[in-house]
């Protein structure tokens, strides 16, 4: 458990230190899955005692057009905004009329929205004033599941933990991975059914990202779909993002994830102790680094960082893989450009990531009173940096809603974030998308999207649950 | 003519005419020097204009600033002469500067 949230804030420093030591010791000796189960039971008992209703996923109702709302009524935390196709108009109104906007009444508590490119960049860079702690999602995760991950830590703790794992996706390591990624892409594409409808999302996007994750973690390959399931649970909590995973399901999933990863960790540690050469996977890298070699004894950080790495490599790339197909169907003249000049693929990959913005935002907390865009932000206020809006800011991108594969500043998209938390898997993501399109183009003469894709319910993940497609092979 | 020399990781090099009053990143981008991305447009926020300055030139270009230090911390292959090109202003004093590019940008 997160020791800081368990203990009363009034505790004097000495007692607090002793209490933290005791909790840390307990965490290190009680098996992690049991701790998660314990937290789950504790939460249920507390809810019963206090007659609190457990949080249930939100129910969808049609949202009004933004013109019918007063500025003070605009609440972009609604997890159905993307699905109902309203997000562009809502964010455009905020960018034009209230670029730093306060919403005091949302299901996720009061929050500021920062919606212009330059303002978002300024917040993202300033980690001293805008802290990534304790969470980067809009709402707080279920009590007892407050796992700690370095994306939600400030320097210097962030830097040490990130450094331990970033080499696995560093450009140097990617050269070795390229051939493997390409052969898997070929496998998947060669087995696609011809001239009959199939769902692109599980067949291509999920399958390819699951294979990649299993490799990065050296996770049992035949169980790779568990990684996808856990990642979806972690990102899909109703409390945190307005998603569909309910608290009970999340606890059960996290306990299962904890037991799998703990076993994997101890198995690798035992093999290393027996003299086996360590692999170049995330867990082996953590075990080989002084800052993280005992991470398994700090369960909430252990689970948090693994969850971060699977979520980071899952929803993002998956939904960009689907988005490229969708965008090229919506903009057939761009497909013609691409066929005429496949050399545009790298720039198109950046444009796909800009156009889709698979993660809508990151959250920050003000560490002191500050001014931003003429607004007075108080210490402790929640500040949402809406990357999805910054990527459509007409002050930065001409004709921002259009998908243009030769857009000259596509690389300046903010989907990877800026500053010390900038996405460390960015080059791997680009590589996966580049290879996918290099293999798709010569293989298929048409890739046709049938009907509207089904969009995910979330205020964070901008993704596709299902997208029916029909392909014809090139002769 | 005042020039700055950019040396690619494979050893090939190019002399670029020095324009004063811009950043080394912008100069490279304006002259289409490969290997410098500058994704954040010069805000010291992405780390994709990493360059390595020849030792004898380090004093002339000056030390890393605090923000830059933080971004370079996260850059793989950081070396003693590592700088972010967007944080180096071009002046006549840099005539003859030799700038090495890393194998990859982060």
């Amino acid at each position: 458990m997160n020791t800081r949230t368990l203990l009363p804030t009034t505790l004097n420093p000495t007692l607090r230190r002793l209490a933290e030591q005791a909790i840390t010791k307990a965490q290190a000796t009680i098996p992690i899955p049991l701790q998660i189960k314990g937290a789950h039971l504790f939460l249920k008992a507390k809810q019963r005692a206090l007659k609190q209703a457990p949080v249930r996923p939100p129910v969808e109702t049609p949202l009004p057009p933004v013109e019918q709302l007063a500025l003070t009524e605009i609440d972009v935390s609604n997890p159905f905004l993307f699905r109902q196709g309203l997000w562009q108009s809502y964010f455009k109104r905020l960018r034009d009329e209230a670029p730093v906007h306060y919403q005091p009444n949302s299901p996720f508590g009061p929050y500021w929205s920062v919606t212009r490119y330059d303002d978002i960049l300024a917040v993202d860079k300033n980690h001293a004033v805008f802290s990534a702690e304790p969470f980067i999602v809009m709402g707080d995760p279920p009590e007892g599941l407050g796992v700690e991950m370095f994306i939600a830590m400030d320097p210097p703790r962030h830097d040490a933990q990130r450094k331990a794992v970033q080499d696995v996706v560093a450009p140097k390591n990617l050269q070795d991975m390229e051939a493997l990624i390409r052969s898997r892409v070929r496998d998947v594409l060669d087995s696609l059914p011809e001239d009959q409808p199939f769902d692109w999302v599980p067949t291509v996007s999920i399958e390819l990202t699951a294979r990649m994750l299993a490799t990065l973690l050296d996770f049992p390959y035949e169980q790779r779909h568990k990684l996808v399931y856990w990642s979806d649970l972690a990102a899909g909590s109703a409390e945190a993002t307005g998603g569909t995973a309910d608290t009970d399901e999340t606890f059960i999933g996290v306990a299962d994830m904890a037991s799998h990863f703990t076993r994997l960790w101890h198995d690798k540690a035992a093999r290393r102790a027996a003299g086996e050469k360590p692999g170049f996977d995330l867990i082996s890298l953590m075990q080989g680094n002084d800052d993280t070699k005992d991470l398994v004894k700090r369960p909430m950080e252990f689970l948090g960082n693994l969850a971060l790495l699977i979520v980071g490599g899952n929803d993002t790339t998956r939904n960009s893989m689907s988005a490229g197909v969708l965008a090229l169907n919506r903009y057939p003249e761009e497909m013609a450009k691409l066929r005429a000049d496949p050399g545009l693929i790298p720039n198109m990959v950046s444009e796909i990531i800009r156009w889709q913005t698979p993660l809508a935002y990151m959250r920050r907390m003000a560490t002191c009173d500050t001014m931003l865009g003429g607004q007075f932000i108080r210490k402790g206020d929640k500040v949402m940096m809406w990357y999805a809006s910054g990527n459509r800011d007409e002050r930065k991108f001409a004709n921002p809603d259009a998908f243009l594969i030769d857009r000259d500043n596509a690389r300046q998209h903010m989907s990877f974030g800026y500053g010390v938390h900038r996405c460390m898997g960015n080059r791997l993501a680009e590589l996966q998308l580049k290879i996918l399109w290099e293999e798709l183009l010569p293989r298929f003469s048409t890739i046709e999207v049938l009907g509207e894709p089904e969009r995910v319910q979330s205020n964070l993940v901008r993704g596709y649950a299902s997208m029916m497609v029909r392909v014809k092979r090139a002769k | 003519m005042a020039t700055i020399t950019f040396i690619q990781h494979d050893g090939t090099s190019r002399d670029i005419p020095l324009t004063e009053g811009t950043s080394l990143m912008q100069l490279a981008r304006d002259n289409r020097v490969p290997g410098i991305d500058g994704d954040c447009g010069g805000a010291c926020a992405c780390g994709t204009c990493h360059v390595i300055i020849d030792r004898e030139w380090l004093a002339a270009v000056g030390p890393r600033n605090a923000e830059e230090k933080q971004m370079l911390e996260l850059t793989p292959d950081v070396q003693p002469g590592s700088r972010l090109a967007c944080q180096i202003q071009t002046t006549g004093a840099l005539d003859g500067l030799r700038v090495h590019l890393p194998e990859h940008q982060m």
Side-chain angles (χ1 to χ4, degrees):
Chain A
M1 250 81 355
N2 183 330
T3 49
R4 278 170 301 170
T5 54
L6 267 181
L7 299 172
T9 47
T10 47
L11 218 54
N12 84 49
T14 315
L15 275 178
R16 166 170 283 268
R17 202 167 50 247
L18 287 172
E20 283 182 353
Q21 280 167 3
I23 292 169
T24 309
K25 181 145 186 241
Q27 286 181 350
T29 40
I30 301 168
I32 305 174
L34 277 182
Q35 291 184 39
I36 303 283
K37 282 188 188 129
H40 191 190
L41 289 174
F42 171 77
L43 176 63
K44 280 186 159 174
K46 187 177 146 198
Q47 283 170 342
R48 264 198 307 277
L50 301 175
K51 298 201 165 47
Q52 289 171 331
V55 178
R56 291 280 171 237
V59 177
E60 181 160 15
T61 53
L63 295 164
V66 72
E67 303 79 52
Q68 289 178 12
L69 296 173
L71 268 181
T72 51
E73 293 171 323
I74 296 178
D75 180 4
V76 284
S77 75
N78 192 296
F80 303 105
L81 207 59
F82 174 59
R83 178 190 280 187
Q84 294 186 18
L86 289 166
W87 68 279
Q88 281 154 290
S89 57
Y90 272 62
F91 281 112
K92 178 159 178 32
R93 173 116 185 259
L94 289 188
R95 283 196 303 275
D96 289 345
E97 296 179 30
V100 180
H101 173 263
Y102 191 63
Q103 174 47 262
N105 308 303
S106 94
F108 305 90
Y111 68 95
W112 291 93
S113 284
V114 185
T115 49
R116 284 188 188 171
Y117 187 98
D118 287 345
D119 291 336
I120 296 168
L121 174 59
V123 172
D124 223 353
K125 271 183 67 174
N126 195 350
H127 62 78
V129 173
F130 298 103
S131 164
E133 298 182 7
F135 303 111
I136 45 83
V137 287
M138 196 163 217
D140 293 351
E143 193 178 348
L145 275 186
V147 294
E148 296 189 58
M149 38 181 83
F150 63 81
I151 196 174
M153 287 176 196
D154 295 325
R157 209 155 60 110
H158 157 270
D159 302 5
Q161 295 201 3
R162 172 172 168 146
K163 270 191 224 158
V165 292
Q166 69 183 5
D167 279 357
V168 76
V169 287
K172 201 172 277 174
N173 196 30
L174 298 187
Q175 288 171 330
D176 304 333
M177 265 186 234
E178 177 156 358
L180 178 68
I181 297 173
R182 195 175 295 277
S183 76
R184 285 180 179 167
V185 169
R186 286 178 175 162
D187 270 359
V188 168
L189 298 186
D190 284 340
S191 63
L192 292 183
E194 176 159 17
D195 221 2
Q196 53 175 295
F198 66 91
D199 191 344
W200 182 269
V201 174
T203 319
V204 179
S205 306
I206 293 183
E207 185 53 36
L208 286 175
T209 38
R211 289 179 183 202
M212 191 74 241
L213 282 176
T215 304
L216 292 177
L217 285 158
D218 193 20
F219 192 81
Y221 197 62
E222 63 289 354
Q223 294 184 48
R224 62 188 178 275
H225 291 286
K226 288 193 173 169
L227 297 171
V228 177
Y229 173 68
W230 296 330
S231 165
D232 288 348
L233 275 185
S237 125
E239 289 95 329
T241 61
T244 50
D246 77 19
T247 309
D248 289 347
E249 190 189 0
T250 306
F251 268 103
I252 293 163
V254 172
D256 188 38
M257 174 178 148
S259 80
H260 274 82
F261 279 133
T262 312
R263 218 179 310 140
L264 190 59
W265 177 287
H266 290 306
D267 175 51
K268 282 186 175 294
R271 282 191 280 154
R272 179 185 289 241
E276 201 177 298
K277 194 169 163 278
F280 204 74
D281 57 272
L282 285 163
I283 289 181
S284 299
L285 286 177
M286 286 177 176
Q287 290 176 340
N289 181 293
D290 278 345
D291 288 306
T292 46
K293 66 175 194 287
D294 294 324
L295 201 64
V296 76
K297 294 181 186 159
R298 306 197 295 274
M300 284 299 153
E301 277 179 58
F302 174 64
L303 278 182
N305 283 333
L306 287 164
L308 167 63
L309 297 164
I310 61 174
V311 173
N314 182 40
D315 274 315
T316 51
T317 317
R318 174 206 302 181
N319 291 316
S320 301
M321 286 179 169
S322 305
V325 172
L326 181 64
L328 286 165
N329 266 257
R330 291 279 162 79
Y331 295 85
E333 62 285 7
E334 298 304 303
M335 185 53 139
K337 262 189 223 169
L338 180 63
R339 295 257 180 217
D341 180 8
L344 288 168
I345 288 176
N347 200 67
M348 176 180 79
V349 164
S350 295
E351 176 66 351
I352 292 171
I353 298 168
R354 182 195 73 89
W355 188 78
Q356 182 60 31
T357 320
L359 297 181
Y361 63 75
M362 287 287 137
R363 155 181 157 184
R364 297 291 183 257
M365 300 299 270
T367 59
C368 57
D369 292 353
T370 188
M371 294 293 292
L372 180 72
Q375 299 291 324
F376 181 69
I377 294 176
R378 280 179 195 282
K379 177 179 178 177
D381 281 359
K382 188 188 288 190
V383 178
M384 310 302 298
M385 305 181 287
W386 291 98
Y387 297 141
S389 173
N391 278 338
R392 300 294 179 99
D393 185 352
E394 29 302 269
R395 293 151 198 84
K396 178 75 182 177
F397 299 102
N399 194 7
D401 291 332
F403 175 75
L404 302 169
I405 65 170
D406 50 0
R407 182 183 288 282
D408 63 358
N409 62 351
R411 282 192 65 106
Q412 296 189 12
H413 69 74
M414 37 184 36
S415 308
F416 293 141
Y418 282 129
V420 297
H421 293 289
R422 185 168 168 84
C423 174
M424 67 174 213
N426 56 354
R427 299 297 175 238
L428 175 60
E430 289 170 348
L431 181 66
Q432 288 177 274
L433 289 164
K434 179 175 93 81
I435 292 174
L436 175 64
W437 283 98
E438 284 171 354
E439 295 297 326
L440 276 172
L441 274 188
R443 220 175 234 85
F444 301 108
S445 58
T446 59
I447 309 163
E448 180 192 0
V449 175
L450 309 169
E452 273 295 302
E454 188 194 323
R455 288 172 172 79
V456 168
Q457 169 191 325
S458 171
N459 62 26
L460 172 67
V461 176
R462 291 154 45 83
Y464 305 97
S466 155
M467 185 172 78
M468 297 308 289
V469 161
R470 185 166 48 207
V471 298
K472 276 202 172 65
R473 277 176 209 286
K475 296 291 173 233
Chain B
M1 185 181 63
T3 58
I4 290 181
T5 305
F6 287 89
I7 303 140
Q8 297 290 327
H9 192 258
D10 66 7
T12 56
S13 73
R14 236 178 93 190
D15 294 343
I16 301 293
L18 195 166
T19 319
E20 288 190 48
T22 181
S23 74
L24 195 60
M25 183 278 284
Q26 202 55 51
L27 184 75
R29 298 279 298 148
D30 291 347
N31 288 278
R32 299 184 180 276
V33 175
I36 293 196
D37 298 331
D39 288 350
C40 72
C44 196
C46 71
T48 65
C49 62
H50 176 206
V51 293
I52 300 115
I53 304 290
D54 259 4
R55 193 180 314 170
E56 57 269 34
W57 279 97
L58 278 177
V61 294
R64 301 170 185 168
N65 63 49
E67 270 185 347
E68 184 185 355
K69 232 179 253 170
Q70 187 106 50
M71 290 310 293
L72 280 169
E73 284 271 289
L74 306 169
T75 308
D77 332 316
V78 69
Q79 298 171 37
S82 287
R83 293 291 311 266
L84 291 180
C86 70
Q87 299 303 299
I88 298 175
Q89 287 299 306
T90 54
T91 64
L94 297 185
D95 180 17
L97 175 69
R98 291 169 61 78
V99 179
H100 298 266
L101 294 172
E103 190 173 3
H104 309 278
Q105 294 292 348
M106 73 184 262

